[in-house]
Amino acid sequence: MASPGLPRHSPDWSSKESRDNYLKPEESSPPQPVLTSPTTITTQHDRLAPTESGLQATSTGLSHSRALLGLHPSAPIDEEHDLAEHSDLWWPKIRMTLKEPFGEFFGTFIMILFGDGSVAQVLLSTGQTSAPGGNGFGGYQSISWGWGLGVMLGIYVAGDSGAYLNPAITFTSCLLRKLPWRRFPIYFIAQVLGAFCASGVVYANYINGINTFEGGPGIRTVPPSKTATAGIFCTYPQADLTKASQFFSEFIASTILMFVIFALKDDTNKGSFSASGNWFPLALFFLIFGLGACFGWDTGYAINLARDFGPRLMSYCVGYGHEVWSSGGYYFWIPMVAPFFGCAFGGLLYDVFLYTGPSPINTPWFGLRELIHPKAAIAERVRQQKEQRMV
């Protein structure tokens, strides 16, 4: 669950305004002395090569490593920080090289902490009379709140990466918004690892409550067991759903997710108001809350491979057994596959009927020519991305 995201150096470059802001030269003061040793003084121009603003930062020496990872050669970092003396240290260099993947990792991490944490609190406290109201600490609406807040805060955390937090959204942005395909693998890995690690933290935090709810240490069950706690971490379908219904539930929720995200990010379709920019994370909160409130019952609205597969793998590792894969008639593949189809369809739907900007849909034959001549299409896309300094 989540979305492309935030300002300031958003590397998805789908917004012309973002590209202009990123590439716009900033005024710089004359080079100041930098003490590099007790006996040697150099200027920033001596230490660094020139850029558009007259200075080159430490991150420029990392451009090759970043390009190999599929990232933009220039790291999304403030020039002042990039020119600072500490930027030459080994860890700042690693951080600059992997800044966007780190953003996707921790953005997804935060999303899962709040999402899985809300499910754990509601489930494990069911019927607890000591709670305010005498019936546990929260209801289903608490889960919608938890996931909505998790997505919103995750977007703030992962702002410089584009805050996708969802492989299906990353995929659709590559397909329709010219996010370079080479960026997809590293983002995918970061998102899955972030979800895996965060679910492990939730498990460790609630392990005593899980032991009590399940009936003792070492007992771990999955739905439809009445004491199952595997649903804290990943989704399981209602028992009466067919495979087609399972797939359609995830497909329709993913379609809505992507369609609305593209609408929110489209500055040419805002009328007299705007939900992009600083309002975008809050708008995503309401979108995720609404999806949970309206489309969450059938399959748990995973709508995100990383959100479901990462925690599912974690639950398998801590002892929930092979049932995490076989439950629901081997349902596990549905939330891995359906979101890609749903998000792609939602993005296409928006572009066909509402979007007037650059898109494969707004080319001759709705972009089908690219499918017929893929090599030429790839070469042209790479050329355009180099011109726009996206790669």
Side-chain angles (χ1 to χ4, degrees), residues 138-222:
Y140 179 75
Q141 193 177 75
S142 300
I143 296 173
S144 297
W145 278 96
W147 279 111
L149 289 168
V151 169
M152 181 181 74
L153 297 175
I155 291 172
Y156 280 118
V157 169
D160 279 338
S161 70
Y164 298 93
L165 316 186
N166 182 336
I169 291 175
T170 312
F171 173 85
T172 306
S173 298
C174 292
L175 184 68
L176 298 174
R177 290 296 181 271
K178 296 186 178 181
L179 180 72
W181 283 104
R182 66 185 69 183
R183 209 165 296 178
F184 180 82
I186 190 69
Y187 277 20
F188 179 91
I189 293 169
Q191 291 157 359
V192 172
L193 286 177
F196 178 91
C197 295
S199 61
V201 172
V202 173
Y203 178 78
N205 185 64
Y206 283 103
I207 188 169
N208 293 316
I210 290 172
N211 289 337
T212 300
F213 194 88
E214 290 271 18
I219 302 174
R220 297 292 182 266
T221 58
V222 305

Side-chain angles (χ1 to χ4, degrees), residues 38-77:
T39 59
T40 303
I41 294 181
T42 64
T43 67
Q44 290 173 336
H45 279 310
D46 294 330
R47 183 164 68 92
L48 302 164
T51 63
E52 292 183 5
S53 60
L55 296 174
Q56 167 115 14
T58 301
S59 62
T60 301
L62 308 173
S63 60
H64 180 66
S65 298
R66 287 175 54 81
L68 289 177
L69 293 170
L71 303 172
H72 190 281
S74 300
I77 181 172

